[in-house]
Amino acid sequence: MTKFMTLKDAVATYVKDGDTISLEGFTHLIPFAAGHEIIRQKRRNLSLIRMTPDLIYDQLVGAGCVRKLTFSWGGNPGVGSLHRVRDAIEHEYPCKLETVEHSHAAMANAYEAGAAGLPLAVFRGYVGSELPLVNKEIATITCPFSGEQLAAIPSIKPDVGIIHAQKADRAGNVLIEGIIGVQKEVVLSAKRSIVTVEEIVDDLDVTPNACVLPAWTVDAIAVAPEGAKPSYTLGYYDRDNNYYKQWDNISRDRDSFNQWLESHVFGQGDV
Amino acid sequence: MTKFMTLKDAVATYVKDGDTISLEGFTHLIPFAAGHEIIRQKRRNLSLIRMTPDLIYDQLVGAGCVRKLTFSWGGNPGVGSLHRVRDAIEHEYPCKLETVEHSHAAMANAYEAGAAGLPLAVFRGYVGSELPLVNKEIATITCPFSGEQLAAIPSIKPDVGIIHAQKADRAGNVLIEGIIGVQKEVVLSAKRSIVTVEEIVDDLDVTPNACVLPAWTVDAIAVAPEGAKPSYTLGYYDRDNNYYKQWDNISRDRDSFNQWLESHVFGQGDV
Amino acid sequence: MTTHNDTAQYTSSEMMTITAARALSNDMTCFVGIGLPSEAANVARLTHAPDVTLIYESGTLQTKPDVLPLSIGDGELCESALTTVSVPEMFRYWLQGGHIDVGFLGTAQIDRFANLNTTVIAANHPESGKNGAHSYANPKVRLPGGGGAPEISTNAKEVFITVKHSKRTFVKDVDFITTIGFGRDGKGRDNLPTIGRGPSVVITDLCILKPDPATKELIVTSLHPGTTKQDVIDATGWEIKFADSLETTPTPNEKELQVLRELKARTEKAHSAQEIK
Amino acid sequence: MTTHNDTAQYTSSEMMTITAARALSNDMTCFVGIGLPSEAANVARLTHAPDVTLIYESGTLQTKPDVLPLSIGDGELCESALTTVSVPEMFRYWLQGGHIDVGFLGTAQIDRFANLNTTVIAANHPESGKNGAHSYANPKVRLPGGGGAPEISTNAKEVFITVKHSKRTFVKDVDFITTIGFGRDGKGRDNLPTIGRGPSVVITDLCILKPDPATKELIVTSLHPGTTKQDVIDATGWEIKFADSLETTPTPNEKELQVLRELKARTEKAHSAQEIK
């Protein structure tokens, strides 16, 4: 059953060293507050999964929490590189970073298959791409009806799924609205799940087919107002595109990153 | 591009003898008006696909339009048998009816795979069931990662997909709301599609993740008020459960069915 | 209509429904079949298990209908649901994804290994053996088919079954396995770690049956008050065994009976509201 | 900044964007990559193709942003969309399902067979050959990766590419095929009936290139005004060929330039509105 918790307690309870974790949110609803709490609690040797690593994973990697990264597009959208991720890949700073690289279609299908309880995802993918040469996870299966060769990859079933959402009601049901990405899939496929929300409300007040996660699918709900900043929460606040641009300078240099980490993460109390 | 048409013209244009057709709607939004128009236009040798054949297919079968039926649950929900379907299977009246039988999970997955452009659906299904003994479509594939044997069946890609929906806007975008079943999948997987709607409105006035079919996915939109009766349209009218109960008597006897057909279908003008 | 004099007057059908309702507990998520399971599940929700999560294959998640649905997709189910998902999502994410504690099923035929047949009755057909493959093409009675049951039975963590007890329904071997209980030999779930553990209880209007832990054959573990062993033997198509510690099923209480009767009265009224045109 | 005196003053970047925009027509559904493709697609929508259907991989269907998104999932895209679907649905139903006419892509590297590399720059690395498999593990530059492109390129009916022309970008063989054009030998799409027909046009700031119908090698079919053959030869990493009937690309008109400049000004203003805290 769902427990309402502080974010500090939720991370302490459900995130362990060595876990495989998906913090998802396709540009929208990225769980920055939860990521920062993981950094503050100094989790180590995490295997992180995320379609679009983005700043949140740059920060986790730069803070030394991560040993492995599975991704399909790793960059600062519209700005450039993730300098902390590149520093880890290219110079093993602050530690060695193993990578597993997919396409978006592959990861979207693997999340879908994970939510669907299947061991594999089957899709028309990687045709002519050289990614299968460098990613041993990518196999092919032959359709018994058409003879077509299709791509197959293992489904994603993280130990912990972490997302941010607009709101929960008092029973712990969660509404996700707007660009919903793979948010539902992450929670449904993960062994344990944490959802941060902008607020708790009496009534979600939704239309019949809204994207709602029932309370019993979520392990911990933590209220984290502005918990997605500098990403955004539709209906609450906009994406801080300027922050993304300025991140390029902060993250380019190890010292300025470490300064930022001290003042903006370790210097902040728990939410 | 979408064309607004009368239902008569839409069926005349897009439904041909011998076609494979899905008229879908999982209890909700069953396109009865469209089915009756197909009967009035005396289409023959249709291969019908539908998870829950229901009264609409009892009527099409009884009227002699159908040579093959693919289904996963064929009955009058909560009432009993589909007598016209049984008469066709058991006594070849009014003509022989071939059947292909699946489970709901199988057909739901096959519609999903059809919409996803795949030749097959892969799922954990039919374990221990004897349906694979009588349905040659059901194959198994072995997961290259886990070694698990999974069921595989061909995806569904009908010639014509026909659904009923609440409303369309003037550009031809369609809103489906409530029990959405496999409505979206049918339209996306079909070569041609017809959507009947309760009404045309200026603005669909929807929330961000509403189930909306863009105009360019639909071939013909026909206004058919109460076009789902005795099924229902959420927000417009309720299911006529009593009609379903009375259908048992009407359909049990060939003469009373044929009388009903004359007065309630052939005796009605086009919508 | 059989009635029993105990704390309250009730029919054997009411006994069955209320006993089935009691099998559900407040913290379960239950994938509900239409008919008897739906009746039982909603009685549970309206009595001892107000927070039981009811899910119907039409996509309605966590629904709280005020009247029983006639079909699996009545408007009532959607209007009272937390949310409604597509049917592919229901079968992929919610059922196959492993989120269902209990699949609650009815059936037309059930055998000693709790295999279910809702496909064809064919045992008396000249061409038929007991093998569905041989009797399927030319059935004596064509039943509606499997619907959701084949995968509910394997993808839910466990399965409850409720069905009226008769020799026609309780057969030694079903004519056709639409939905696996424990297979033709009771070993059909062995060495299949990705599927659920199967039927754990069968509730009839006469008794409660459970699979023997070793053989998986259904044995009677509790007799309803007023039912004799001979009643069950007469209504069962195989040599039915009784548990050593055979219990007597607790009778329905006044509240349960009241809730069930009011639910049925509301339902009857709602479904008769319209006349055919 | 290069400017040309024709009917209007414009930069080579503007020439590229507007030429790319003109490749889209009003009745197309276009799966839009971020950056240059997004800029071009929205100029098309705001000029000659008001009904062009723009789809972003974030799930936003038929979107009409007033400012260019910085990321593929800016709120603007969702708020101005007809509807927004999940990312798995976007890739399964809408892209793989065959509903996309044009995939509009940018790239970091492109070769003579229109193969795209957005994975690693490794050509100068001591361990590297020209085979991506050998240079991947220890790249000179780690690029962002494939994102949606590998499957956009195969599941859209055709592909448009827009990228600035330079010898660093236009290489004979890409270091790594992230996304297939026509493969290492130009035959990578042969006998694959379930995939799209691949790149049909590449629009740069110098010219328009199209695959030779027989060999699939990119050849220049149109030079932008003021560009010489030598300019293109100097900026291309292989012996570039020119079509016999080489055309001159029509210049941007006043309206197109105005729309593009206003769009970029609105975008600049919107993205600079907030200061980092």
Side-chain angles (χ1 to χ4, degrees):
Chain A
M1 286 300 287
T2 303
K3 293 176 190 110
F4 290 99
M5 291 179 146
T6 63
L7 182 51
K8 186 177 178 182
D9 288 347
V11 168
T13 306
Y14 292 112
V15 181
K16 304 296 175 195
D17 284 358
D19 275 351
T20 297
I21 307 184
S22 290
L23 295 101
E24 273 291 355
F26 201 88
T27 310
H28 181 216
L29 292 172
I30 300 174
F32 273 91
H36 291 178
E37 185 56 36
I38 291 171
I39 293 172
R40 268 194 295 276
Q41 296 194 20
K42 295 197 166 72
R43 289 291 174 280
R44 287 296 178 268
N45 296 313
L46 301 178
S47 291
L48 294 187
I49 303 173
R50 193 177 147 78
M51 293 181 68
T52 54
D54 196 87
L55 274 52
I56 180 70
Y57 277 24
D58 209 34
Q59 294 166 359
L60 281 154
V61 167
C65 304
V66 188
R67 70 162 190 85
K68 183 177 172 185
L69 177 64
T70 300
F71 73 103
S72 44
W73 194 90
N76 182 342
V79 179
S81 290
L82 296 176
H83 299 292
R84 295 298 94 223
V85 170
R86 278 185 59 177
D87 205 9
I89 293 175
E90 294 169 12
H91 309 107
E92 305 191 1
Y93 178 88
C95 50
K96 193 170 152 65
L97 182 67
E98 181 188 348
T99 60
V100 176
E101 185 165 5
H102 278 293
S103 67
H104 277 353
M107 288 194 71
N109 274 284
Y111 273 122
E112 200 273 349
L118 291 173
L120 84 169
V122 176
F123 61 107
R124 184 176 296 109
Y126 290 126
V127 179
S129 172
E130 290 176 349
L131 282 164
L133 299 178
V134 298
N135 180 341
K136 289 174 190 165
E137 279 191 349
I138 303 167
T140 56
I141 66 152
T142 304
C143 172
F145 310 110
S146 66
E148 185 178 358
Q149 301 268 321
L150 296 161
I153 64 168
S155 62
I156 296 174
K157 293 183 182 181
D159 294 319
V160 192
I162 302 177
I163 64 166
H164 186 71
Q166 271 91 353
K167 52 191 168 183
D169 65 21
R170 295 189 194 286
N173 303 302
V174 173
L175 173 68
I176 313 167
E177 199 166 49
I179 291 175
I180 54 177
V182 292
Q183 311 277 88
K184 180 187 264 189
E185 287 75 14
V186 164
V187 169
L188 293 186
S189 64
K191 292 191 191 78
R192 310 185 288 280
S193 61
I194 300 172
V195 179
T196 56
V197 294
E198 291 295 326
E199 59 175 336
I200 309 286
V201 297
D202 288 331
D203 188 342
L204 292 180
D205 193 23
V206 291
T207 50
N209 306 114
C211 183
V212 176
L213 287 167
W216 42 276
T217 63
V218 178
D219 290 291
I221 295 177
V223 178
E226 305 196 341
K229 277 199 170 182
S231 169
Y232 71 105
T233 298
L234 188 75
Y236 289 81
Y237 45 88
D238 291 336
R239 189 171 194 269
D240 189 349
N241 281 329
N242 199 45
Y243 185 111
Y244 275 83
K245 288 181 182 171
Q246 293 190 39
W247 183 252
D248 196 59
N249 274 329
I250 294 170
S251 61
R252 198 178 284 272
D253 177 79
R254 292 176 186 177
D255 287 342
S256 69
F257 169 77
N258 286 326
Q259 260 174 27
W260 173 89
L261 203 59
E262 281 307 320
S263 64
H264 286 78
V265 180
F266 290 111
Q268 305 294 313
D270 53 287
V271 181
Chain B
M1 286 301 285
T2 303
K3 293 177 189 108
F4 290 99
M5 290 180 148
T6 64
L7 182 50
K8 187 177 177 183
D9 288 347
V11 168
T13 307
Y14 292 112
V15 181
K16 304 297 175 193
D17 285 357
D19 275 351
T20 296
I21 308 185
S22 290
L23 295 101
E24 274 291 353
F26 201 87
T27 310
H28 181 216
L29 292 172
I30 302 174
F32 273 91
H36 291 178
E37 185 57 34
I38 291 171
I39 293 173
R40 269 194 293 277
Q41 296 194 19
K42 296 197 165 74
R43 289 291 174 278
R44 288 296 178 266
N45 296 313
L46 302 177
S47 291
L48 293 187
I49 303 173
R50 192 176 149 76
M51 294 181 68
T52 54
D54 196 86
L55 274 52
I56 181 70
Y57 276 24
D58 209 35
Q59 294 165 359
L60 281 155
V61 167
C65 304
V66 189
R67 68 161 192 86
K68 184 177 172 185
L69 177 64
T70 300
F71 73 103
S72 44
W73 194 90
N76 182 342
V79 179
S81 290
L82 296 177
H83 298 294
R84 294 298 92 223
V85 170
R86 277 185 60 177
D87 205 10
I89 293 175
E90 294 169 13
H91 308 109
E92 305 192 1
Y93 177 88
C95 52
K96 193 169 152 62
L97 182 66
E98 182 189 349
T99 60
V100 176
E101 185 164 5
H102 278 293
S103 67
H104 277 354
M107 288 192 71
N109 274 284
Y111 273 122
E112 201 272 349
L118 291 173
L120 84 168
V122 176
F123 60 107
R124 184 176 295 110
Y126 290 125
V127 179
S129 171
E130 290 176 350
L131 282 164
L133 300 179
V134 297
N135 180 341
K136 289 175 189 163
E137 279 189 349
I138 303 166
T140 56
I141 67 152
T142 304
C143 172
F145 311 109
S146 66
E148 184 179 359
Q149 300 268 319
L150 296 161
I153 63 169
S155 62
I156 296 174
K157 293 184 182 180
D159 295 319
V160 192
I162 302 177
I163 64 166
H164 186 72
Q166 271 90 353
K167 52 192 169 184
D169 65 20
R170 295 189 195 286
N173 304 302
V174 173
L175 173 68
I176 312 168
E177 199 166 48
I179 291 175
I180 54 178
V182 292
Q183 311 277 88
K184 180 186 264 188
E185 287 76 13
V186 164
V187 168
L188 294 186
S189 64
K191 293 191 190 78
R192 310 185 287 279
S193 61
I194 300 172
V195 179
T196 56
V197 293
E198 290 294 327
E199 59 174 335
I200 309 287
V201 296
D202 289 332
D203 188 344
L204 292 180
D205 192 24
V206 291
T207 50
N209 307 115
C211 182
V212 176
L213 286 167
W216 42 276
T217 63
V218 178
D219 290 291
I221 295 176
V223 179
E226 305 196 339
K229 278 202 170 181
S231 169
Y232 71 105
T233 299
L234 187 75
Y236 289 81
Y237 45 89
D238 291 337
R239 189 171 194 266
D240 189 348
N241 281 329
N242 200 45
Y243 186 112
Y244 275 83
K245 289 180 181 172
Q246 292 191 39
W247 182 254
D248 196 58
N249 274 327
I250 295 169
S251 61
R252 199 176 284 270
D253 177 79
R254 292 177 185 177
D255 287 343
S256 69
F257 169 76
N258 286 326
Q259 260 174 27
W260 174 88
L261 204 59
E262 281 307 320
S263 64
H264 287 77
V265 180
F266 288 112
Q268 307 293 314
D270 53 286
V271 182
Chain C
M1 188 180 283
T2 315
T3 59
H4 302 278
N5 282 305
D6 200 350
T7 55
Q9 295 259 330
Y10 55 88
T11 67
S12 58
S13 283
E14 289 171 338
M15 180 73 204
M16 172 169 64
T17 300
I18 289 165
T19 304
R22 287 175 174 179
L24 285 174
S25 62
N26 201 36
D27 60 352
M28 286 176 169
T29 57
C30 177
F31 204 99
V32 186
I34 208 68
L36 293 176
S38 174
E39 199 172 300
N42 280 290
V43 169
R45 185 176 59 76
L46 295 167
T47 54
H48 66 283
D51 298 324
V52 66
T53 300
L54 304 187
I55 295 176
Y56 288 73
E57 65 196 15
S58 51
T60 49
L61 274 173
Q62 210 164 313
T63 182
K64 305 186 172 191
D66 187 52
V67 300
L68 293 173
L70 183 68
S71 80
I72 201 81
D74 280 19
E76 179 76 10
L77 291 174
C78 175
E79 286 164 39
S80 67
L82 176 65
T83 190
T84 298
V85 301
S86 76
V87 166
E89 179 177 325
M90 176 52 72
F91 280 96
R92 285 178 73 81
Y93 285 9
W94 298 91
L95 180 59
Q96 187 178 266
H99 296 283
I100 308 299
D101 295 320
V102 178
F104 211 148
L105 300 174
T107 187
Q109 250 188 3
I110 180 169
D111 69 17
R112 67 195 190 287
F113 291 119
N115 300 301
L116 310 182
N117 174 19
T118 53
T119 303
V120 285
I121 301 294
N124 296 319
H125 191 275
E127 280 175 44
S128 84
K130 282 292 180 188
N131 183 334
H134 299 136
S135 54
Y136 174 82
N138 204 353
K140 185 176 168 217
V141 181
R142 172 67 245 195
L143 298 166
E151 283 76 17
I152 294 172
S153 175
T154 51
N155 288 320
K157 287 177 191 136
E158 64 181 316
V159 177
F160 297 172
I161 297 160
T162 182
V163 58
K164 288 205 181 192
H165 217 130
S166 80
K167 214 153 194 161
R168 217 177 109 198
T169 301
F170 280 71
V171 297
K172 189 175 181 204
D173 297 282
V174 286
D175 294 1
F176 186 94
I177 298 184
T178 311
T179 299
I180 191 173
F182 298 99
R184 292 276 179 207
D185 59 0
K187 301 177 196 304
R189 286 178 190 264
D190 294 0
N191 307 313
L192 289 174
T194 60
I195 66 168
R197 65 176 191 269
S200 52
V201 64
V202 179
I203 297 123
T204 80
D205 49 345
L206 300 182
C207 63
I208 299 173
L209 305 95
K210 292 184 178 175
D212 178 275
T215 66
K216 304 299 182 189
E217 184 174 314
L218 290 174
I219 59 172
V220 178
T221 60
S222 182
L223 284 175
H224 297 344
T227 304
T228 65
K229 283 188 177 184
Q230 193 59 46
D231 291 340
V232 176
I233 291 166
D234 290 346
T236 306
W238 72 88
E239 274 188 52
I240 184 78
K241 291 171 193 155
F242 296 83
D244 295 338
S245 56
L246 188 64
E247 294 176 358
T248 300
T249 317
T251 55
N253 65 36
E254 291 288 356
K255 168 147 193 233
E256 288 166 328
L257 286 167
Q258 186 191 339
V259 162
L260 171 58
R261 286 166 187 170
E262 286 175 5
L263 178 63
K264 294 194 80 160
R266 282 199 303 277
T267 300
E268 182 64 27
K269 192 171 167 216
H271 294 179
S272 305
Q274 292 166 293
E275 285 303 309
I276 198 163
K277 285 181 293 192
Chain D
M1 187 180 281
T2 316
T3 58
H4 301 278
N5 283 305
D6 201 349
T7 55
Q9 294 260 333
Y10 55 88
T11 68
S12 59
S13 283
E14 288 171 337
M15 180 74 204
M16 171 169 64
T17 300
I18 289 165
T19 304
R22 287 174 175 181
L24 284 173
S25 61
N26 201 35
D27 60 352
M28 286 175 169
T29 57
C30 177
F31 204 100
V32 187
I34 209 67
L36 293 177
S38 175
E39 200 171 299
N42 282 290
V43 169
R45 185 177 60 76
L46 295 167
T47 54
H48 67 282
D51 299 323
V52 66
T53 300
L54 304 186
I55 295 176
Y56 288 73
E57 66 196 14
S58 51
T60 48
L61 274 173
Q62 209 164 314
T63 183
K64 304 185 172 191
D66 188 52
V67 300
L68 293 174
L70 183 68
S71 80
I72 200 81
D74 278 18
E76 178 77 10
L77 290 174
C78 176
E79 286 165 40
S80 67
L82 176 65
T83 191
T84 299
V85 301
S86 76
V87 166
E89 179 177 325
M90 176 52 73
F91 280 97
R92 285 177 73 82
Y93 285 10
W94 298 91
L95 179 59
Q96 186 178 264
H99 297 282
I100 308 299
D101 295 321
V102 178
F104 212 147
L105 300 174
T107 188
Q109 249 188 3
I110 180 170
D111 70 17
R112 67 194 192 284
F113 292 119
N115 301 301
L116 309 182
N117 175 19
T118 53
T119 303
V120 285
I121 302 294
N124 296 320
H125 191 273
E127 280 176 44
S128 84
K130 281 293 180 187
N131 183 335
H134 298 136
S135 54
Y136 174 82
N138 205 353
K140 185 177 169 215
V141 181
R142 172 69 244 194
L143 299 167
E151 282 77 17
I152 294 172
S153 174
T154 51
N155 288 320
K157 287 176 191 137
E158 64 181 316
V159 177
F160 296 171
I161 297 159
T162 182
V163 58
K164 288 205 182 192
H165 217 128
S166 80
K167 216 153 192 159
R168 217 175 110 197
T169 301
F170 279 71
V171 297
K172 189 175 180 204
D173 297 283
V174 285
D175 293 1
F176 186 94
I177 299 185
T178 312
T179 299
I180 190 174
F182 298 98
R184 292 273 179 210
D185 59 0
K187 300 178 196 303
R189 287 178 190 263
D190 294 0
N191 307 313
L192 289 174
T194 59
I195 67 168
R197 64 175 192 269
S200 52
V201 64
V202 179
I203 298 124
T204 80
D205 51 344
L206 299 182
C207 63
I208 299 173
L209 304 94
K210 293 185 179 175
D212 178 276
T215 66
K216 305 299 182 190
E217 184 173 313
L218 289 175
I219 60 172
V220 178
T221 60
S222 182
L223 285 174
H224 297 344
T227 305
T228 64
K229 283 188 178 185
Q230 194 58 46
D231 291 339
V232 177
I233 290 165
D234 290 347
T236 305
W238 71 88
E239 274 188 50
I240 185 75
K241 293 173 192 154
F242 296 83
D244 294 339
S245 56
L246 189 63
E247 294 175 0
T248 301
T249 317
T251 54
N253 64 37
E254 292 288 357
K255 176 166 184 215
E256 288 165 328
L257 286 166
Q258 186 190 341
V259 161
L260 171 58
R261 287 165 188 172
E262 287 175 2
L263 178 63
K264 294 194 81 157
R266 281 199 304 277
T267 300
E268 182 64 28
K269 192 172 168 215
H271 294 178
S272 304
Q274 293 165 293
E275 284 303 308
I276 199 163
K277 284 181 293 193

